[in-house]
Amino acid sequence: MIRLLGYFFGIGTVFALLVAGGVAFYVNSMSQDLPDYQVLAKYEPPVMTRIHASDGGLMAEYAKQRRLYLPIQAIPQRLKDAFLSAEDKNFYEHHGVDLEGIARAALVYVKGGPMQGGSTITQQVAKNFLLTNERSMERKVKEAILSLRIEQAYSKDRILELYLNEIYLGMGSYGVAAASLSYFNKSVSELEIQEVAYLAALPKAPENYNPFRNPDEAIGRRNWVIDRMAENGAITQEAADEAKATPLGINIRPSGAYVSSAEYFTEEVRREIIGRYGTTALYEGGLSIRTTLDPVMQVEARKSLQRALLQFDQARGYRGPISTAEIGGDWGEPLAKVEALSDVPEWRLAIVLASTDDSVSVGLQPGREASGKFGPERDMATIALADMRWALRQNREGRSGSVRTADQVLSRGDIVYVEKKDDGDGYRLRQPPKVQGALVAMDPHTGRVMALAGGFSYAQSEFNRATQAYRQPGSSFKPIVYAAALDNGYTPASVIMDAPISIPDGNGGYWEPKNYGGESAGPSTLRLGIEKSRNLMTVRLARDMGMDLVAGYAERFGIYNKMLPYLPMALGSGETTVMRMVSAYSVMANGGRSIEPSLIDRIQDRYGRTVYKHDNRKCDACNDTAWADQAEPELVDDRQQVLDPMTAYQITSMMEGVVQRGTATVVKELGVPVAGKTGTTNDEKDSWFVGYTPDLVTGIYLGYDNPTPMGHGASGGGFAAPVFVDFMKQALAGKPAVDFRIPDGMTQIAVNRKTGMATSSEGSDAVIEAFKPGTGPSDSYEVIGDDGFGGAPTAQAISPQAEQAIVSGAGGLF
């Protein structure tokens, strides 16, 4: 018997050794050509890039995989407990493989069932990072082998960190940080028990537990996780019961830009990031971008521009509905198919249901639910005739003139925009304007762009008129001509002839620029020339200096990269952008230092390292660790001085005169020191105003995208300057008035602003001028460019290359 038992024991031992050998051989074969788990040490997952305003407000997020990477130390214990309870309660005890779980899964597989779970978090890391999703025994073995190796190479916290940042949790979110924002609009540190439990319920099958499509299954799975947390001692049973009684509480975070009214600004930043670092860095690099945007100022910029464009457009009449539709049983269906202007939330699309002589009944486009679908509600509203009176003037294709009643304007099935009235009682008719424009506000000392509006609506047109539209600046270019003169021997009291002038155009004819209105005033000072925007004086001054000098200053100020040195260019007939003009005026506002406009303050990589900083001024003493009676730290400004500070003050003072007595007197109502210049091109195709206080420069351009006359009155002083006033009232609210600083060494003398001669300060024509050392009002009356009032002075013929500038108009009418 004993011998028989020994025989069977021997056979069993041999069999066990054979099995062990076979298993070892199989495992060894599976170990061959496994992925290198050491890549996890250098793993950098695709991380979302985020753009922030200057106050930290979130503007936009860009990602192919919506992920925010969090180190394990930043992940709350409650959130870790939830995932461990749901996925791997023994995570901190096992060595990468849960033998009990594997045995259970293997048993089901042997019996012919499907491959089941049982994977530890470490195994899931191995699968997600190094293997495929193939459901096979071979993959499970490889997964187990890799898990054992990973556990030997990395700490438990590192493995858990990789897992919690990599897993897909639905709603386009990868990792717990992005999912927390997507589902609850919260950071992970703000999540409550029921919320962390819901996130921990998602890894198995995010779509199966979608809170909108499968709310019951979502709650059931969440409650299961809560029970596991209580069972494992992570929470009390009382807390678990309370959490299970709570609704899902989903609070979907809206996509896109979050800081309102900043779509053009955000897109400009996006384009700059791609230009600097490429598309991959933007969508996968996890950059943190702090912009220069002032959110409050940005809202006011948009409002000011929109108000002006709407007022101008409505004065030209009603152009017809956005669309039309047949109204059947449910008028909401055709209305839902029309895309509204997403960045003009004050407006709603509406469909006309009925119209009478004095009112129109409309149905409002339903609001969107959290799922993105239109809700079932059907709201109706009324537009009174008084709230659409501007539309009685018809400007439709094939139909013009005026009508008298509401039903002559709108018909059943017309789809239009409406806006709720300020008093909340009824709606008013709206239409997206055809005329467009741009506004840029900049800190002249740093070049930081505080606000940028590139058009009425980004949803209507993505074309950014602040940076992409090249238009003639007209007379707003003249301060560059006058600054060049003041920097080269002229004074504000220098006298230039304001009289007709004829210049050969090189084609047998003559170019004969004119002042606005056609009149001329005879000899006048430089100050009077810029205050009244005299074209003839400007041409003579540019001719006297030489256009090469003017072109050099225009390029130095950044208005043009290369300016053709032809006289029509002195009147603003070249093309440039609002951003470039604001940058040029910033040079005059800051005392003559070069300016590099910037929409970005700094950029940090995914690890928080600063890779770009706009302000590179040096301050060696700023980082001293303690105070020891040393001198106050000073920022070293090594930017190029492109204009004499005294010249900068002189041209600023002259442009203060534009506001006080010249073409922009509407700006006086601000009640603070302001300098600026209007600009209007031929036939009022372009309307400009660029102005500044000591600490803020703002430029406005208005016009049609396809240059078209806007009509009499659409001048820089009548159309653009009021936008400046509207914006600056809000931008300067609560700030003390600041005078422009006079550089040391200048002498202030009263002169007659017409003759340029010294006078007493009592006369009505007296003005205080600032003169540089060694200069002052002339002792004798001298007139520059005194060729007579009607003659054709000898001048260099204009080459054929300048023909386009001449044909397109001299610019600078007013």
Side-chain angles (χ1 to χ4, degrees), residues 380-454:
M380 297 174 63
T382 300
I383 308 173
L385 179 61
D387 297 319
M388 55 181 291
R389 194 169 296 281
W390 63 270
L392 296 178
R393 179 176 179 177
Q394 297 286 289
N395 189 17
R396 303 194 198 193
E397 187 175 344
R399 189 195 308 181
S400 59
S402 297
V403 296
R404 295 180 177 274
T405 62
D407 56 3
Q408 291 177 298
V409 177
L410 297 176
S411 304
R412 180 176 170 83
D414 284 353
I415 296 177
V416 296
Y417 280 104
V418 297
E419 180 184 23
K420 199 163 193 175
K421 295 170 62 178
D422 297 334
D423 58 10
D425 184 20
Y427 285 77
R428 58 170 64 95
L429 180 65
R430 289 300 196 193
Q431 78 176 357
K434 193 173 181 181
V435 68
Q436 289 289 348
L439 184 154
V440 173
M442 181 184 294
D443 180 339
H445 306 290
T446 62
R448 299 175 72 245
V449 178
M450 315 293 286
L452 182 152

Side-chain angles (χ1 to χ4, degrees), residues 624-640:
D624 287 349
T625 57
W627 174 255
D629 295 324
Q630 68 264 42
E632 184 176 323
E634 290 187 6
L635 285 171
V636 179
D637 192 347
D638 56 2
R639 291 175 299 175
Q640 183 183 5

Side-chain angles (χ1 to χ4, degrees), residues 40 87-88 91 94-103 105 115-133 137 139-151 156 159 163:
L40 297 178
E87 295 295 317
D88 189 359
F91 174 70
H94 63 64
H95 297 289
V97 176
D98 184 349
L99 296 177
E100 179 183 344
I102 289 181
M115 288 297 299
Q116 290 189 350
S119 295
T120 64
I121 284 178
T122 312
Q123 287 176 277
Q124 293 184 56
V125 167
K127 180 189 71 173
N128 294 337
F129 287 82
L130 304 172
L131 299 172
T132 67
N133 288 323
M137 181 60 73
R139 197 219 73 201
K140 293 294 289 184
V141 172
K142 289 182 177 180
E143 182 182 290
I145 296 170
L146 284 170
S147 298
L148 293 171
R149 294 179 178 179
I150 289 171
E151 289 270 349
K156 288 285 189 178
I159 295 168
Y163 172 74

Side-chain angles (χ1 to χ4, degrees), residues 469-481 547-585 681 688 805 808-812:
Y470 280 79
R471 304 300 290 266
Q472 292 180 334
S475 290
S476 62
F477 178 78
K478 287 177 182 173
I480 312 305
V481 179
M547 279 303 296
D548 285 332
L549 182 64
V550 175
Y553 274 80
E555 293 165 11
R556 199 184 305 172
F557 281 36
I559 295 179
Y560 305 111
N561 292 333
K562 182 66 177 177
M563 174 177 154
L564 296 175
Y566 304 125
L567 280 174
M569 300 291 283
L571 299 181
S573 63
E575 294 180 337
T576 189
T577 68
V578 181
M579 182 71 81
R580 284 174 174 259
M581 289 298 292
V582 170
S583 299
Y585 274 61
T681 58
W688 291 75
S808 64

Side-chain angles (χ1 to χ4, degrees), residues 779-811:
D779 295 329
S780 60
Y781 191 61
E782 298 178 359
V783 180
I784 300 170
D786 187 3
D787 314 287
F789 284 75
T794 302
Q796 180 183 0
I798 294 186
S799 73
Q801 288 91 333
E803 184 67 20
Q804 180 61 38
I806 295 174
V807 171
S808 64

Side-chain angles (χ1 to χ4, degrees), residues 737-802:
V738 180
D739 291 318
F740 292 102
R741 189 181 69 83
I742 304 175
D744 295 336
M746 299 193 79
T747 305
Q748 293 183 286
I749 303 174
V751 301
N752 184 298
R753 67 189 186 91
K754 294 182 179 178
T755 67
M757 306 289 286
T759 186
S760 71
S761 58
E762 305 293 329
S764 60
D765 287 332
V767 63
I768 303 297
E769 292 290 11
F771 291 91
K772 299 176 183 178
T775 67
S778 177
D779 295 329
S780 60
Y781 191 61
E782 298 178 359
V783 180
I784 300 170
D786 187 3
D787 314 287
F789 284 75
T794 302
Q796 180 183 0
I798 294 186
S799 73
Q801 288 91 333

Side-chain angles (χ1 to χ4, degrees), residues 27 43 108 125 143 156 206 228-229 239 285 349 396 425 508 542 630 687 698 763:
V27 169
Y43 177 66
V108 172
V125 167
E143 182 182 290
K156 288 285 189 178
R228 300 291 75 72
M229 292 176 71
L349 281 171
R396 303 194 198 193
D425 184 20
Q630 68 264 42
S687 178
T698 300

